[in-house]
Amino acid sequence: MSLFEHGVKNLHTLVKDGEVKVSELVQESFDRIDRVDGKIGAFLSLNEEAFEQAKRMDEIAKHEASPLFGLPIGVKDNIVTKGMTTTCGSKFLENFVPAHDATVVERLHEAGAVTIGKLNMDEFAMGSSNENSAYKPVRNPWNTKHVPGGSSGGSAAAVAAGEVLFSLGSDTGGSIRQPAAYCGVVGLKPTYGLVSRFGLVAFASSLDQIGPVTRTVEDNAYLLSAIAGHCDMDSTSANVNPTDYTQALTGDIKGLKIAVPKEYFGEGVSEGVKENIRTAIKKLESLGATVDEVSLPNSKYALATYYLLASSEASSNLARFDGIRYGVRAEADALEDVFKYSRAQGFGDEVKRRIMLGTYALSSGYYDAYYKKAQQARTLIKQDFDQVLAKYDVIIGPTAPTPAFELGAQNDDPVTMYANDILTIPINLAGVPAISVPAGLVDGLPVGLQIIGKHFDEATIYRAAHAFELATGGFALPKL
């Protein structure tokens, strides 16, 4: 039995009682990576100091109260880590070693978690399949011919493959929840502003959020409790008090009011996914929840709105990568050519595509027609959520319209690839929290149930997700 088959709570007890050493947990993580990561491709780099850290922690483990003390974690490679390369899955930053830790990494270190390594991702978090990494694709542990989802594919695959107990990802338009659904694990996108973005390499600043990826809802709640809270280094950080989200895990959802948007069962959502989610809804009803069908009419504008806004913000954020201040520098005789050649050589096709789209949308003569109109549509989408969540506790539906597709199946069709996030994108536009939990299988591949909540009401989301998990007996992980 793998030590990682225990959850955070049990492992904390074992470590504190001296039955398991931190060094044993770290060794198990590295051994598992050595055995399976050649097939999965989840890790881009490993922490060479992890063993020494673990040995020092063995000496003080019995005195530590933090439930995360000594537990191995993987960190998505767009979250900066002091002394460890942070590449963002891009050749542009292949040798970039940050001088400081992100706030979330600092908080995990304070809680005693051990960073095992940096996790593979779509380049600069731009993708839905983790095939856009400049180094190697990530493969789905359930079937290595299929994608794990993106852009946090490495974060989800590493947890599903048992390489680490949990991981951090980032979610701009579904990049935690969609890979969590594809890999059969639990992934949360917190309310915008709940978790500090300081140290997260920006893709689209008004949409990005760091969140936890875990095997169980309880583990997810432990991890969010450690990383959430106000940060002075992030101007968008909300002034909220630290919360122990595990207190919400009562297993009781009697009287919970659930809304199910009819738009989330529309064209493009596979019948297998619909069947699994309808079964999940019946399970929640049997636990005492009430369910009503509602409408989020402006969801149909979400995909176009998101790609205009996200690309526009990416165009601005990625202007700093010019060959002078960060990353690779191309050889050229003129300064302007250094900029052009460095970006041409350092960025992949998908990053270039989105920079060009965003630059076009922000350009003179097109700003009002595209960017401004997209911001207006975003307001309508947010108002839809506000109106429904004023009457209901949570909104539920599928996380992704289909199970994971095969590697290479959509590489030549960017629009179809973008549509894989159609059910997750509206949540980022509205800034509300949402979680994906396993809800069954279609043709041997996982399906995710998405539970959406009110701003800063992650506790209710966890309560619903945990009750569902208990009622369904959890979800088995793939055998590798």
Side-chain angles (χ1 to χ4, degrees):
M1 178 180 176
S2 167
L3 288 171
F4 295 163
E5 290 182 36
H6 295 282
V8 167
K9 189 175 182 179
N10 286 345
L11 277 179
H12 172 61
T13 301
L14 292 172
V15 170
K16 195 170 177 62
D17 292 347
E19 296 182 38
V20 172
K21 293 183 177 180
V22 176
S23 52
E24 291 176 325
L25 291 171
V26 171
Q27 185 66 59
E28 175 149 346
S29 185
F30 275 90
D31 287 347
R32 182 69 172 171
I33 292 167
D34 186 57
R35 286 198 303 272
V36 306
D37 205 58
K39 293 185 288 185
I40 303 301
F43 279 87
L44 289 177
S45 61
L46 298 174
N47 180 13
E48 297 176 358
E49 298 180 1
F51 286 110
E52 290 302 318
Q53 293 171 3
K55 289 177 183 177
R56 293 193 297 270
M57 295 171 78
D58 283 337
E59 299 174 4
I60 60 172
K62 64 181 180 181
H63 303 295
E64 294 297 324
S66 168
L68 302 186
F69 183 84
L71 305 188
I73 187 168
V75 178
K76 187 176 178 179
D77 207 25
N78 62 343
I79 300 171
V80 301
T81 42
K82 184 178 181 179
M84 295 177 63
T85 54
T86 299
T87 71
C88 293
S90 177
K91 290 293 185 182
F92 210 114
L93 294 176
E94 60 184 342
N95 297 316
F96 175 57
V97 180
H100 65 91
D101 283 324
T103 296
V104 290
V105 175
E106 284 184 355
R107 289 178 176 173
L108 287 173
H109 289 170
E110 290 168 1
V114 181
T115 301
I116 296 299
K118 303 303 289 294
L119 294 163
N120 203 352
M121 56 181 285
D122 284 309
E123 185 179 8
F124 285 100
M126 299 181 191
S128 303
S129 67
N130 223 141
E131 295 172 282
N132 292 334
S133 169
Y135 300 97
K136 56 186 176 182
V138 181
R139 297 175 181 272
N140 194 316
W142 287 86
N143 185 331
T144 54
K145 293 181 180 179
H146 290 248
V147 303
S151 63
S152 303
S155 300
V159 174
E163 296 175 301
V164 286
L165 185 63
F166 38 51
S167 66
L168 291 182
S170 68
D171 193 311
T172 307
S175 291
I176 289 174
R177 290 158 290 147
Q178 186 241 36
Y182 283 1
C183 293
V185 292
V186 179
L188 174 84
K189 183 209 87 74
T191 305
Y192 184 81
L194 180 66
V195 176
S196 172
R197 292 187 300 111
F198 179 71
L200 174 67
V201 179
F203 163 17
S205 302
S206 75
L207 301 164
D208 299 337
Q209 269 291 271
I210 296 171
V213 181
T214 59
R215 290 187 172 194
T216 68
V217 175
E218 183 179 56
D219 286 0
N220 207 277
Y222 274 116
L223 192 50
L224 183 66
S225 298
I227 63 174
H230 179 71
C231 170
D232 290 334
M233 302 298 289
D234 177 4
S235 63
T236 62
S237 178
N239 190 17
V240 293
N241 294 321
T243 301
D244 180 1
Y245 292 102
T246 62
Q247 296 299 310
L249 309 182
T250 63
D252 181 12
I253 58 167
K254 291 177 182 175
L256 190 77
K257 293 185 288 185
I258 296 174
V260 179
K262 61 183 181 181
E263 290 82 4
Y264 285 19
F265 290 82
E267 184 180 351
V269 181
S270 75
E271 287 303 317
V273 169
K274 290 178 183 178
E275 182 179 342
N276 274 277
I277 301 307
R278 288 181 182 128
T279 300
I281 291 170
K282 291 178 182 177
K283 177 62 69 175
L284 290 167
E285 284 184 301
S286 73
L287 297 174
T290 60
V291 179
D292 293 322
E293 184 179 77
V294 299
S295 179
L296 297 172
N298 292 298
S299 293
K300 60 187 176 184
Y301 304 123
L303 199 63
T305 297
Y306 170 83
Y307 278 101
L308 278 167
L309 296 180
S311 297
S312 296
E313 293 186 30
S315 172
S316 176
N317 279 325
L318 270 63
R320 73 192 70 179
F321 300 102
D322 54 13
I324 303 297
R325 291 166 287 188
Y326 298 94
V328 300
R329 180 180 299 181
E331 294 295 327
D333 295 328
L335 181 61
E336 184 177 336
D337 289 339
V338 172
F339 298 158
K340 289 192 295 186
Y341 298 158
S342 296
R343 292 165 71 81
Q345 295 169 19
F347 290 144
D349 289 344
E350 182 61 29
V351 175
K352 292 174 184 174
R353 181 183 292 118
R354 298 201 194 190
I355 289 173
M356 292 175 69
L357 175 60
T359 303
Y360 179 81
L362 292 173
S363 61
S364 177
Y366 298 100
Y367 177 91
D368 287 344
Y370 294 107
Y371 182 78
K372 183 179 178 181
K373 188 66 69 176
Q375 290 285 26
Q376 291 169 333
R378 180 178 188 173
T379 300
L380 295 176
I381 292 165
K382 180 182 181 299
Q383 288 173 351
D384 281 352
F385 280 95
D386 290 344
Q387 289 167 8
V388 171
L389 289 169
K391 300 176 182 176
Y392 295 89
D393 297 309
V394 294
I395 300 169
I396 67 171
T399 306
T402 66
F405 49 91
E406 289 191 6
L407 286 153
Q410 298 181 8
N411 282 352
D412 296 328
D413 189 353
V415 176
T416 300
M417 182 75 80
Y418 294 166
N420 288 295
D421 295 330
I422 194 167
L423 299 173
T424 53
I425 279 171
I427 288 82
N428 295 77
L429 292 170
V432 293
I435 197 170
S436 178
V437 293
L441 298 172
V442 172
D443 298 327
L445 293 167
V447 171
L449 170 70
Q450 182 170 214
I451 305 174
I452 307 158
K454 302 173 184 178
H455 289 95
F456 302 106
D457 193 16
E458 278 77 3
T460 299
I461 291 177
Y462 278 135
R463 182 162 67 97
H466 183 246
F468 177 74
E469 185 179 67
L470 289 176
T472 55
F475 203 49
L477 292 174
K479 303 297 182 183
L480 286 169

